[in-house]
Amino acid sequence: MDKFIVTIARQFGSGGRTIGYMLAEELKIPCYGKEILSLASEKSGINEQLFAKADEKLRKNIFLKSPSVYSGELIPPESSDFVSDKNLFNYQAKVIKELAQKESCVIIGRAADFVLKDNSDVISVFVHASSDFCLKSAMERYTMSEKEMIKYIAKTDRYRANYYEYYTGRKWDDARNYDLCLNSGKLGFEKCVKAIRDYIDIKLN
């Protein structure tokens, strides 16, 4: 099989991250999620905590209303904007592009589908599920009351939508942005993995 990249966006509680790692394990390829932050820190020389803080700003809705759509450029170290949120994303995107160029892999989140939108070997996936499924799944993993978890799921999905729209100018949950949209609550994780594998075979072979 030729080289390919699978990007996975996912609703909180849908199991998209688990599906991504299951897929990578079956195919014996790397899977990257938050590891991209540390790789971007190494690449740029910028403290990793600044990358995490930039994420937290979006998580708290502290961001400009107009998108800062990624266009590929890096801001040089001598600029006062070198550690701006925009440039922190630019370095994450640089890492994503380098990983995609090097070998087959799975990339979770980070608007990777948009960063790699011009790559012909990319399969972009959005994993979703019903509110009840996401709540039940999340409650099995975290110690919260049901009321707290409902609020946390809504907050996390709002953050992911804001992050995606801010850096891409697109709607996070718009099916037109992805090759595959999979309902993990109906299919189950293993069948989601199989659906992605089948799509890879169809697209690349």
Side-chain angles (χ1 to χ4, degrees):
M1 184 181 292
D2 295 333
K3 181 175 72 67
F4 59 90
I5 314 301
V6 178
T7 67
I8 296 184
R10 75 282 186 221
Q11 288 182 318
F12 187 84
S14 67
R17 181 180 180 276
T18 300
I19 290 166
Y21 277 92
M22 287 173 61
L23 176 69
E25 184 175 356
E26 279 197 23
L27 297 175
K28 295 181 172 49
I29 60 176
C31 185
Y32 300 97
K34 287 187 176 181
E35 297 91 344
I36 290 172
L37 297 182
S38 59
L39 292 172
S41 175
E42 293 174 11
K43 179 73 62 177
S44 64
I46 299 171
N47 191 306
E48 187 176 343
Q49 290 184 351
L50 291 178
F51 287 91
K53 286 180 180 178
D55 276 7
E56 192 62 25
K57 286 181 184 178
L58 283 175
R59 197 177 291 277
K60 292 179 178 178
N61 292 329
I62 305 172
F63 61 96
L64 298 174
K65 290 185 179 180
S66 57
S68 178
V69 177
Y70 170 72
S71 58
E73 78 287 353
L74 290 172
I75 299 172
E78 60 270 18
S79 170
S80 59
D81 289 331
F82 180 63
V83 294
S84 64
D85 294 348
K86 179 179 180 179
N87 207 37
L88 295 175
F89 182 84
N90 291 346
Y91 269 101
Q92 292 176 64
K94 179 178 175 62
V95 167
I96 289 169
K97 286 184 172 181
E98 289 177 351
L99 292 172
Q101 186 175 13
K102 182 173 65 173
E103 60 185 348
S104 295
C105 63
V106 177
I107 301 176
I108 310 292
R110 303 286 128 193
D113 61 283
F114 183 82
V115 172
L116 301 175
K117 67 184 187 302
D118 296 325
N119 291 44
S120 61
D121 57 355
V122 171
I123 294 92
S124 57
V125 180
F126 185 81
V127 180
H128 62 98
S130 68
S131 298
D132 288 344
F133 179 89
C134 291
L135 176 60
K136 181 181 178 182
S137 176
M139 290 292 290
E140 290 173 354
R141 295 175 55 203
Y142 298 93
T143 306
M144 291 187 194
S145 69
E146 185 172 302
K147 185 177 180 180
E148 289 173 331
M149 182 57 72
I150 290 171
K151 289 182 178 180
Y152 186 77
I153 290 172
K155 180 181 178 181
T156 303
D157 282 347
R158 185 168 59 248
Y159 154 69
R160 290 176 179 175
N162 288 341
Y163 180 98
Y164 188 86
E165 185 170 355
Y166 185 64
Y167 288 116
T168 72
R170 297 178 175 182
K171 294 294 183 182
W172 173 64
D173 56 359
D174 187 338
R176 293 171 295 184
N177 295 329
Y178 307 97
D179 295 310
L180 281 177
C181 291
L182 300 174
N183 188 325
S184 57
K186 291 184 176 180
L187 284 178
F189 293 177
E190 290 184 359
K191 287 184 179 179
C192 283
V193 171
K194 184 179 186 305
I196 299 170
R197 291 195 63 169
D198 288 346
Y199 191 90
I200 293 170
D201 289 338
I202 292 168
K203 182 172 182 178
L204 299 184
N205 294 330

